[in-house]
Amino acid sequence: MITMNDVIREGHPTLRKKADALSFPLDSEMRKLAEDMLEFLINSQDPDMAEKYELRPGVGIAAPQVDVSKRLIAVHVPSQDEENPDPEFSSVLINPKIVSHSVQQTCLADGEGCLSVDREVPGYVPRHKRVTVDYYDLNGEKKKVRLRDFPAIVVQHEIDHLNGVMFYDRIDPDNPLALPDDIDVLGTVEE
Ligand code: CO
């Protein structure tokens, strides 16, 4: 299983590389990695597993974060609705590509974090509010998904990792807490 010991941290050169596309059929090693990445996220959100294995809770992870420079991400966004046990979005996405997006931007009120960044980085990270993403599943089947708000932010954060981009690259260095015009802030802005 993947633990935090497998996750490389900022400063590691793999996090700044553009990752390579995968081809199908996937070899068994890559399929196992994809399954392990999704399992890591699910474990990390389980309080008992997270404590036992010292996992930081995560909603997304990209293969470069475990030092595999391939275009593979896993996302596990739990349902925001307490009565609905199904996750809001949970998937392995191979060779994901944003094929269209809204003009409207969004950002998280509390900024973003990253399993590869062991510090808090204050500042708003502008993202597209809605994205349409083409990708392949584990079996090489082409898929398309439309996402908005939090799941859309998570997928954009992970796709950035495939291009060597860290979330803080998108924070305005001169004014990290200035909100761009017309941005829709998700969550509550702390006073
Ligand atoms: Co990250």
Side-chain angles (χ1 to χ4, degrees):
M1 68 182 281
I2 293 173
T3 69
M4 293 307 295
N5 292 333
D6 301 302
V7 176
I8 59 173
R9 308 302 160 92
E10 56 180 333
H12 192 297
T14 301
L15 290 173
R16 288 307 194 179
K17 276 170 58 181
K18 189 173 158 68
D20 297 324
L22 282 164
S23 51
F24 293 95
L26 290 184
D27 61 35
S28 55
E29 198 181 339
M30 208 49 64
R31 178 179 277 267
K32 169 100 169 47
L33 174 67
E35 290 167 351
D36 285 352
M37 284 166 51
L38 190 56
E39 186 195 33
F40 167 85
L41 297 176
I42 294 167
N43 288 341
S44 81
Q45 293 175 27
D46 177 319
D48 295 334
M49 290 294 280
E51 190 184 346
K52 183 172 177 191
Y53 294 104
E54 299 183 316
L55 309 177
R56 249 183 77 186
V59 287
I61 188 167
Q65 293 183 274
V66 290
D67 203 14
V68 176
S69 194
K70 300 288 183 192
R71 303 189 81 78
L72 160 64
I73 66 175
V75 174
H76 187 76
V77 178
S79 174
Q80 311 298 305
D81 174 0
E82 280 178 21
E83 287 176 16
N84 180 4
D86 294 328
E88 189 170 348
F89 184 57
S90 180
S91 195
V92 165
L93 293 82
I94 296 164
N95 301 340
K97 189 174 181 349
I98 295 168
V99 291
S100 65
H101 62 78
S102 60
V103 173
Q104 172 85 63
Q105 291 189 304
T106 189
C107 66
L108 296 176
D110 295 331
E112 294 185 17
C114 179
L115 295 167
S116 296
V117 179
D118 293 324
R119 60 192 172 105
E120 293 221 2
V121 184
Y124 295 115
V125 183
R127 301 288 187 186
H128 307 304
K129 184 172 170 65
R130 290 180 299 279
V131 290
T132 302
V133 180
D134 281 359
Y135 65 98
Y136 293 86
D137 71 9
L138 280 174
N139 299 317
E141 288 203 35
K142 196 166 185 191
K143 304 274 187 179
K144 186 185 289 288
V145 65
R146 290 179 183 82
L147 300 168
R148 61 185 295 147
D149 296 332
F150 188 58
I153 290 172
V154 175
V155 167
Q156 289 172 80
H157 177 118
E158 300 314 327
I159 291 177
D160 270 354
H161 279 304
L162 305 182
N163 296 318
V165 175
M166 302 292 285
F167 73 91
Y168 45 73
D169 300 345
R170 298 188 180 278
I171 297 174
D172 181 343
D174 300 321
N175 208 344
L177 291 172
L179 281 169
D181 290 341
D182 299 328
I183 199 165
D184 177 42
V185 182
L186 283 188
T188 316
V189 180
E190 284 174 34
E191 295 294 318

